[in-house]
Amino acid sequence: MKKNLTLLIGGIQGEGVVSLGTNLMKTLSNLGYYTYGNRNFSSRIKGGNTTMTISIGVEKQLCSKDGLDIILALDKETIDLFNCKLKPNGLILFDSILSSKDLNYKEDSLIPLPITEIAKDLSAPIIKNTRALGFLGRLMGLEQNELSQSLKEKYHTKGDEIVEKNLKALKESYNYDGDIFNKEEYFLSISEKKSSKAVMMGNEAIGFGALMAGCRFIPSYPITPASEVMEYMGKVLPRYGGAMVQVEDEIAAITMAVGVSYGGVRSMTATSGPGISLMMEGIGLAGITETPVVIADIQRGGPSTGLPTKHEQSDLFAIYYGGHGEYSNIILSPSTVEDCFYDTIRAFNLADKYQCPVFILSDLSLGLSPQTIDDLDYNQVVIDRGKIVIKDELSNIERGTFKRYELTKDGVSPRSFPGIINGGHHVTGIEHNELGLPLEKPENRKNMMEKRLNKTAPLENDESIDIYRTNNGNNTLFLTFGSIFGAIKEAAYLSGKKIDFGAIRMIRPLPKKQLTFLLENYDKIVVVENNYRKQLASIIKEELGYHSKIHSITKYDGTNFTINELVEKIGEWA
Amino acid sequence: MATMQDYSNKVTPTWCPGCGHFSILRAIQVAASKLEIPIDKFASITGIGCSGRLSGYLNGYSFHGIHGRSLPIAQGIKMANKELVVIAAGGDGDGFAIGTSHTLHAIRRNLNMTYIVLNNQIYGLTKGHTSPLSDTGLETKSTPFGSMDNPLKPGITALAAGATYLAQGFSGLQDQLIDIIVKGIEHDGFSIINVFSPCVTFNKVNTYQWYRENIKNIDEDSTYDSSNYQAAMNKLIETDGLCSGIIYQKNEPSFLDRLQGKDAKPLTDLNLKISKDEFENLLNKFK
């Protein structure tokens, strides 16, 4: 019996490795287990090795574990590349069409299974996945009817024939006679709570969050690893009267989103580094015209095309300082899939409240790793549109006198939407007066700059850093953002050291009050991030000082920190 | 009864005296008054350059964006609220240099809005640089030895991209200009109107006089059939693009019509609240 199990499924890209992995994860999540799937892929459609590592447990899984208990290989390359990660008593299940003579590995861990063979008999390629699912399910001690149920749910829209074929394939592999299936060594412990849980990627959670937040339009241009946001919204928005439009480029995406928002509808776009570079001018337009807009940046390796399918967190400087000129923006940085959902809702509310661009800064690992999530809380879905004029509110004022950029105490002015009577006004990317008309005079410029740049200051007092204390006696705080949080949490647990760690959920404006408190109360803050220039650490130093207290752990080779690496690094500091 | 003054915000334009753009501004205001467009539902969006100033002189909701991007902004506004009358305008740089791609894709998307190109075949606001619509050989500050690129042909380009309404006008022909703008706004789809609008300061070749002598007025040809795609192409080729009037018009659904159907509510009128049951259904899709 195992409380935790990590398995790797590998094969040739385009042959359904991800689909098999996701299927297995959904089945397990339906049974109350937690899973985390880590995809490794290259920038091509078919061919090349691709893998999915799935960590399974009775407790929440927030990252990929290092050692493998099981490898399921649909091609030889999977074994060549990953047998080094197999634990001492681990198993390699492989498709029996691969000749075991070519496989350079100790024989007693190699288990050939007829995956393709029977799939061929049933003449449907997706059957191969079901075969593999049957073998894995049996090995982990899952009930056959539980697996059947999950297959029925997956294929019911494809017709009875497909369902029957799959159930037949499942039954045959489930009843396959092999020694390995008679041991209970790889059986999973019973999950504590048998409640069915959802499997979601960060990108889907952003889309779902946006829908719940009242976003009804998303113009977007496909890019790895952000496309799933537009894909999800394209699927669901029409049902709620909204639309996704795949536009001609990222410049159109951001400027159209600005137009939609000006038109009165919550709007967002999603992209990655190269798209962010293209969008900068449009984001500046949202800045000076004080038009709310939400931009999800799912980071990948840069600059230029960089590492398009690999993980990195190097866009922070670009969005923190980016664009010419100066304006307020807000950067939220979710660290779990659940955060992606809630932070997206928050992003829309903050965008409306402060009338400025809001970034959701995610990364490839968070965006693309499907994982079992805890139930999302409907009661936390709140829509707050900020200072907007409601219909008829202006019916008594004289046309042409509505002050869209009124200098108010909090720097935020009322917004009217086209169609609202007497709310008409001019908007321009040129410096303007309270009516929105161009005005370049120094005094006006100064007032407007201060209005735009000071309005988000109240957020500096927010408690935006989630701190986990396991203390202590040890006065070091490990601070990170994005998907690294899950790995730190696991590493902290595995290291056996009682350390404190935290995830920063809003980077701009920097939560100065809370950070200052932390910097005063810890001897050291070690910032852990996936980029070369220590971007988050640099920003904190620049804004708050404390140079001697702030240290860094970085990694920038296109891969996430492994748990062992973090355990080792934590050991150096704690 | 609406008058053209209703659509003016009384700001004095900064254009040079004699600039062709005055005529276009007036034509838009007259067209709007003829159609009695409710001022609060009138949205004008422009890019950057002399032409970009146009939205700053119109009443209603006006948006002066960034260079080359008036069309995505305008389409966004129209998508948000399809009950608005949306007019985008820009120069030849906006429409056929930095923003060419948006022009073509806005044509493909065919939203019910109007795009007016204020075409003076030169960059005026940067004080006289060549434009992609400048004739070969035109001497400007950036082409001291004459423009060496071939000019883009806006009419043929628009037709090739699938324009459902293409018209051309001339600042010196007010009545026709008003007429093609009225019909462009009435057209149920994307209307692109290329207006020859002389720059009296920097373009000493394509002057009022030059256009008067070279533009063929299609309205004078009673046999011309604007629903004939081939004839439209031929006319543009025969006249080297120098013709005015409605060149081509056909009916086709827009992106939004195809996605939602004609009767769908504007996005601004949607109820944003999603019930708890619906929320659970959405969540269950991930199980």
Side-chain angles (χ1 to χ4, degrees):
Chain A
M1 288 279 201
K2 286 192 182 299
K3 271 191 146 180
N4 289 293
L5 195 91
T6 297
L7 63 91
L8 176 138
I9 302 167
I12 294 167
Q13 193 151 294
E15 289 195 336
V17 166
V18 174
S19 163
L20 167 60
T22 315
N23 234 351
L24 178 67
M25 290 173 66
K26 281 197 174 180
T27 307
L28 289 163
S29 305
N30 262 326
L31 299 173
Y33 294 101
Y34 284 99
T35 63
Y36 181 99
N38 180 33
R39 289 166 59 184
N40 186 10
F41 59 107
S42 50
S43 193
R44 51 201 275 191
I45 308 302
K46 285 221 171 198
N49 179 264
T50 187
T51 61
M52 191 160 177
T53 308
I54 303 175
S55 303
I56 306 159
V58 292
E59 279 160 3
K60 182 95 172 164
Q61 305 289 307
L62 279 173
C63 60
S64 205
K65 308 292 163 54
D66 293 349
L68 299 171
D69 296 293
I70 300 167
I71 291 174
L72 177 82
L74 300 171
D75 69 349
K76 181 174 176 292
E77 211 178 339
T78 297
I79 303 174
D80 296 342
L81 287 171
F82 296 97
N83 74 55
C84 57
K85 293 195 170 177
L86 198 66
K87 288 183 187 170
N89 295 317
L91 286 183
I92 299 177
L93 314 179
F94 66 97
D95 193 337
S96 55
I97 54 162
L98 307 173
S99 159
S100 56
K101 272 183 241 154
D102 302 338
L103 305 173
N104 181 22
Y105 201 66
K106 58 179 183 184
E107 240 168 63
D108 54 347
S109 13
L110 285 168
I111 317 282
L113 293 171
I115 295 173
T116 303
E117 215 173 282
I118 293 186
K120 265 189 192 153
D121 293 348
L122 288 163
S123 70
I126 50 168
I127 298 291
K128 201 167 156 180
N129 281 346
T130 301
R131 288 285 292 167
L133 184 70
F135 290 128
L136 286 172
R138 169 95 184 273
L139 191 66
M140 290 188 275
L142 306 180
E143 297 284 337
Q144 191 185 341
N145 62 4
E146 285 165 343
L147 294 169
S148 314
Q149 198 51 40
S150 126
L151 282 178
K152 280 183 203 159
E153 276 165 31
K154 183 171 166 78
Y155 294 117
H156 78 274
T157 53
K158 303 200 177 199
D160 292 344
E161 197 194 341
I162 300 277
V163 173
E164 284 311 314
K165 274 188 178 176
N166 276 284
L167 290 179
K168 186 164 180 268
L170 179 76
K171 194 174 167 192
E172 281 179 26
S173 60
Y174 205 86
N175 295 331
Y176 180 75
D177 192 22
D179 286 348
I180 188 66
F181 298 116
N182 300 325
K183 298 180 197 164
E184 290 190 11
E185 197 185 336
Y186 289 93
F187 278 26
L188 283 172
S189 309
I190 309 282
S191 61
E192 279 159 35
K193 253 181 30 194
K194 277 223 164 193
S195 70
S196 165
K197 295 185 177 72
V199 174
M200 215 181 268
M201 301 189 277
N203 285 351
E204 291 165 331
I206 288 174
F208 188 24
L211 175 72
M212 293 307 296
C215 173
R216 290 295 174 268
F217 193 86
I218 174 170
S220 205
Y221 191 78
I223 187 168
T224 303
S227 302
E228 292 74 14
V229 179
M230 68 184 278
E231 289 166 11
Y232 176 75
M233 294 193 81
K235 239 177 354 194
V236 296
L237 274 178
R239 184 182 153 87
Y240 299 94
M244 180 276 283
V245 53
Q246 180 179 323
V247 290
E248 53 271 26
D249 56 32
E250 285 90 347
I251 296 171
I254 185 67
T255 47
M256 195 178 287
V258 166
V260 170
S261 175
Y262 173 72
V265 174
R266 282 191 160 179
S267 165
M268 73 172 296
T269 188
T271 190
S272 189
I276 289 291
S277 296
L278 287 172
M279 287 182 187
M280 277 304 174
E281 193 189 14
I283 293 167
L285 175 71
I288 193 167
T289 62
E290 305 193 57
T291 311
V293 66
V294 173
I295 306 120
D297 176 11
I298 322 301
Q299 301 169 93
R300 67 187 211 188
S304 184
T305 309
L307 293 170
T309 62
K310 305 292 175 227
H311 169 87
E312 200 167 90
Q313 297 176 313
S314 53
D315 292 354
L316 183 54
F317 278 167
I319 63 173
Y320 194 91
Y321 299 108
H324 63 279
E326 298 165 302
Y327 51 91
S328 286
N329 68 32
I330 295 168
I331 302 172
L332 302 183
S333 49
S335 55
T336 65
V337 171
E338 291 89 338
D339 286 355
C340 286
F341 177 80
Y342 298 119
D343 286 358
T344 301
I345 297 170
R346 183 164 191 235
F348 280 98
N349 289 337
L350 290 176
D352 270 350
K353 181 169 183 184
Y354 294 103
Q355 301 180 4
C356 69
V358 179
F359 290 95
I360 301 163
L361 184 65
S362 176
D363 55 51
L364 185 141
S365 292
L366 182 57
L368 290 188
S369 303
Q371 50 200 286
T372 313
I373 60 164
D374 286 317
D375 269 346
L376 299 172
D377 181 6
Y378 178 75
N379 294 323
Q380 288 191 47
V381 179
V382 176
I383 298 176
D384 178 2
R385 303 281 336 247
K387 281 193 198 176
I388 57 170
V389 162
I390 40 175
K391 273 180 185 165
D392 305 333
E393 198 179 325
L394 304 174
S395 48
N396 293 325
I397 72 162
E398 197 187 326
R399 173 166 291 138
T401 62
F402 174 68
K403 288 185 177 171
R404 168 64 186 97
Y405 299 103
E406 189 179 351
L407 293 166
T408 58
K409 223 174 166 185
D410 62 5
V412 182
S413 322
R415 234 163 36 106
S416 75
F417 303 136
I420 290 179
I421 292 167
N422 296 341
H425 58 272
H426 188 54
V427 168
T428 173
I430 293 177
E431 188 55 272
H432 40 263
N433 63 14
E434 288 179 288
L435 292 169
L437 293 167
L439 186 63
E440 295 184 344
K441 288 195 170 137
E443 191 193 345
N444 178 70
R445 167 68 170 180
K446 185 169 175 286
N447 289 339
M448 286 295 167
M449 285 290 279
E450 286 165 2
K451 162 186 169 38
R452 288 191 298 265
L453 285 150
N454 292 337
K455 64 184 176 182
T456 56
L459 286 171
E460 290 171 3
N461 298 323
D462 262 41
E463 301 273 314
S464 296
I465 304 171
D466 297 340
I467 301 285
Y468 297 79
R469 292 176 213 281
T470 53
N471 233 314
N472 188 326
N474 180 351
N475 225 353
T476 304
L477 174 71
F478 293 87
L479 182 66
T480 191
F481 70 107
S483 62
I484 299 176
F485 167 74
I488 293 235
K489 198 174 176 191
E490 179 71 16
Y493 170 75
L494 280 183
S495 71
K497 298 198 169 167
K498 298 204 177 296
I499 61 156
D500 289 5
F501 56 95
I504 183 164
R505 299 267 297 277
M506 180 175 66
I507 300 179
R508 193 175 180 202
L510 210 57
K512 288 185 184 168
K513 190 177 157 195
Q514 192 186 7
L515 263 174
T516 306
F517 176 83
L518 295 171
L519 283 158
E520 288 291 337
N521 284 277
Y522 282 94
D523 294 339
K524 292 188 281 276
I525 291 189
V526 181
V527 182
V528 189
E529 51 190 319
N530 283 127
N531 56 61
Y532 181 86
R533 288 192 289 174
K534 308 169 183 170
Q535 297 189 13
L536 179 58
S538 305
I539 287 170
I540 298 174
K541 282 182 193 169
E542 183 203 302
E543 298 271 2
L544 295 174
Y546 295 93
H547 290 247
S548 61
K549 279 194 168 187
I550 298 168
H551 306 272
S552 287
I553 296 174
T554 60
K555 189 181 183 193
Y556 38 81
D557 67 356
T559 64
N560 311 54
F561 286 103
T562 65
I563 307 303
N564 287 338
E565 276 170 355
L566 281 177
V567 168
E568 194 179 309
K569 300 266 187 193
I570 286 172
E572 288 169 16
W573 289 100
Chain B
M1 270 292 285
T3 68
M4 64 166 285
Q5 272 75 27
D6 293 337
Y7 300 90
S8 162
N9 68 354
K10 318 282 188 294
V11 173
T12 309
T14 56
W15 297 318
C16 309
C19 174
H21 296 356
F22 284 101
S23 168
I24 300 173
L25 174 63
R26 184 178 182 280
I28 292 170
Q29 289 164 339
V30 174
S33 67
K34 282 193 168 190
L35 292 166
E36 307 240 0
I37 298 168
I39 290 164
D40 300 305
K41 291 194 168 177
F42 181 58
S44 58
I45 299 90
T46 50
I48 297 296
C50 297
S51 63
R53 296 285 180 167
L54 184 127
S55 64
Y57 310 135
L58 288 166
N59 230 338
Y61 287 83
S62 55
F63 199 120
H64 179 221
I66 42 179
H67 193 35
R69 319 299 172 200
S70 68
L71 279 173
I73 296 169
Q75 290 171 89
I77 294 171
K78 183 71 187 182
M79 299 256 207
N81 186 351
K82 62 183 194 175
E83 288 178 353
L84 302 173
V85 174
V86 174
I87 293 185
D92 27 320
D94 264 320
F96 289 97
I98 185 169
T100 313
S101 153
H102 304 311
T103 305
L104 303 182
H105 293 280
I107 288 172
R108 290 178 56 222
R109 225 162 268 133
N110 197 34
L111 295 181
N112 184 6
M113 54 174 280
T114 298
Y115 180 45
I116 300 173
V117 182
L118 285 66
N119 173 8
N120 52 19
Q121 300 184 255
I122 195 119
Y123 284 8
L125 201 62
T126 61
K127 301 194 165 44
H129 296 112
T130 190
S131 136
L133 305 187
S134 297
D135 290 329
T136 310
L138 186 74
E139 281 182 32
T140 69
K141 279 186 185 154
S142 55
T143 51
F145 310 108
S147 176
M148 295 184 191
D149 297 336
N150 294 321
L152 253 182
K153 300 186 184 303
I156 289 176
T157 304
L159 279 191
T164 60
Y165 180 101
L166 169 68
Q168 293 197 138
F170 168 41
S171 294
L173 267 179
Q174 259 275 301
D175 289 350
Q176 185 185 51
L177 186 55
I178 292 165
D179 185 54
I180 60 175
I181 294 174
V182 167
K183 288 178 175 145
I185 294 171
E186 284 176 330
H187 173 71
D188 187 9
F190 189 84
S191 46
I192 176 166
I193 302 171
N194 174 36
V195 186
F196 300 105
S197 176
C199 172
V200 294
T201 306
F202 294 107
N203 191 333
K204 304 293 187 194
V205 177
N206 308 105
T207 59
Y208 281 97
Q209 186 60 30
W210 186 90
Y211 282 118
R212 263 190 206 102
E213 285 165 10
N214 286 285
I215 288 176
K216 289 255 185 315
N217 187 342
I218 293 176
D219 292 350
E220 288 165 4
D221 176 1
S222 59
T223 63
Y224 186 77
D225 176 7
S226 65
S227 68
N228 184 332
Y229 188 71
Q230 183 74 60
M233 277 289 189
N234 287 347
K235 179 64 84 182
L236 288 165
I237 294 165
E238 277 162 33
T239 60
D240 195 22
L242 291 166
C243 52
S244 68
I246 297 172
I247 298 168
Y248 184 67
Q249 186 169 14
K250 70 169 168 178
N251 283 320
E252 236 169 50
S254 72
F255 165 84
L256 271 187
D257 297 338
R258 284 183 172 135
L259 183 73
Q260 313 184 310
K262 274 264 175 226
D263 303 330
K265 276 193 210 171
L267 267 54
T268 42
D269 290 1
L270 295 172
N271 177 11
L272 303 184
K273 186 87 182 156
I274 289 178
S275 71
K276 187 156 192 208
D277 285 351
E278 275 286 294
F279 168 77
E280 295 294 343
N281 284 339
L282 287 159
L283 194 56
N284 283 335
K285 295 256 165 28
F286 292 97
K287 290 182 179 175

